[in-house]
Amino acid sequence: MKNIILAIVFCSLFQVVKAQDYTPTIKNKTELNYVCKLHGQTRTLTLTTKMADDKLVMNLDTKGVKNSNIIISQEGLKKGNALSFNQGEDLQVIVLKPTETFFMISQSAYQDLLKNNKFVYNNTTYVLDQSVDKNLFWLDGKAIDVLHVIAQIDETEMWIVKNPDYPLICKMTKNPLGINWSLVKVVDK
């Protein structure tokens, strides 16, 4: 009986550790499904990615808003220091500034976070939360290893995927702009 119990415990631990190996990433035609809270309203939002040599295009699809293509430049992906909160605004194509990213932080901000336990975005310093229980995010029953950060000037919290190429923001809460979101599904097509 002890052997059976030990086997069950071992298998359970193996499943938890194995689940943490899942890291959502962005490829051509990756579909990122979010639930967004916008000023008290709940909306679903789908971002479908298109990879190009010099940019990342995210097709934004949300109910009640015309589909928009959000274009993030290579410079923004590498060295951006501001998050765009653009909601589509019924424009076909939205080209972000070279300092902006969309639903992710830049690679340089991610490196700052790893090296210094903090980074600056939109003139706000975000500090790494060292709590182990806050550094997991669940997606489709799989645990994802994330970095949990908290803004120093307000209560904004973000959970960022541990992915140096595309550090997606899985979840944002307590945003003073009233725009919060949570990643609910990733589909690679």
Side-chain angles (χ1 to χ4, degrees), residues 141-183:
K142 300 173 188 169
I144 299 171
D145 208 7
V146 295
L147 298 166
H148 177 242
V149 297
I150 303 170
Q152 283 192 326
I153 63 169
D154 57 37
E155 298 178 357
T156 304
E157 295 181 67
M158 289 191 281
W159 287 259
I160 301 165
V161 173
K162 285 187 178 179
N163 180 336
D165 296 323
Y166 298 103
L168 285 172
I169 301 170
C170 291
K171 184 176 180 178
M172 178 177 283
T173 62
K174 302 177 188 172
N175 182 339
L177 297 176
I179 303 171
N180 297 297
W181 66 75
S182 187
L183 183 64

Side-chain angles (χ1 to χ4, degrees), residues 15-17 19-20 22 24 133-146 159 170-171 182-185:
Q15 287 298 322
V16 169
V17 171
Q20 291 177 358
Y22 178 65
D133 63 327
K134 294 275 190 164
N135 291 322
L136 281 181
F137 178 82
W138 292 89
L139 181 65
D140 284 336
K142 300 173 188 169
I144 299 171
D145 208 7
V146 295
W159 287 259
C170 291
K171 184 176 180 178
S182 187
L183 183 64
V184 293
K185 189 174 186 178

Side-chain angles (χ1 to χ4, degrees), residues 6-161:
L6 286 173
I8 291 171
V9 169
F10 176 74
C11 288
S12 297
L13 287 173
F14 176 77
Q15 287 298 322
V16 169
V17 171
K18 181 75 175 145
Q20 291 177 358
D21 289 343
Y22 178 65
T23 301
T25 186
I26 293 179
K27 301 172 191 154
N28 202 32
K29 297 185 181 180
T30 298
E31 189 176 279
L32 306 165
N33 296 283
Y34 285 89
V35 171
C36 299
K37 305 282 185 179
L38 306 168
H39 312 290
Q41 298 179 351
T42 301
R43 291 189 178 197
T44 58
L45 176 134
T46 301
L47 297 172
T48 305
T49 61
K50 181 179 176 187
M51 310 300 283
D53 290 338
D54 60 342
K55 62 188 167 233
L56 171 64
V57 179
M58 293 185 154
N59 178 266
L60 182 148
D61 182 15
T62 188
K63 189 175 183 177
V65 178
K66 184 190 287 185
N67 286 12
S68 299
N69 284 315
I70 311 288
I71 299 174
I72 308 170
S73 69
Q74 225 14 267
E75 186 176 349
L77 290 170
K78 289 181 180 178
K79 298 180 182 177
N81 61 11
L83 193 60
S84 171
F85 288 96
N86 197 305
Q87 298 171 33
E89 311 299 327
D90 289 330
L91 297 174
Q92 285 293 139
V93 177
I94 299 164
V95 180
L96 300 182
K97 298 174 188 171
T99 57
E100 293 181 318
T101 57
F102 193 70
F103 278 79
M104 68 179 69
I105 63 172
S106 67
Q107 295 163 357
S108 65
Y110 181 81
Q111 292 305 319
D112 286 346
L113 179 57
L114 293 180
K115 183 179 177 184
N116 304 314
N117 293 327
K118 63 183 177 179
F119 69 97
V120 177
Y121 235 62
N122 296 86
N123 296 315
T124 300
T125 300
Y126 291 88
V127 178
L128 182 65
D129 179 6
Q130 303 288 347
S131 304
V132 175
D133 63 327
K134 294 275 190 164
N135 291 322
L136 281 181
F137 178 82
W138 292 89
L139 181 65
D140 284 336
K142 300 173 188 169
I144 299 171
D145 208 7
V146 295
L147 298 166
H148 177 242
V149 297
I150 303 170
Q152 283 192 326
I153 63 169
D154 57 37
E155 298 178 357
T156 304
E157 295 181 67
M158 289 191 281
W159 287 259
I160 301 165
V161 173

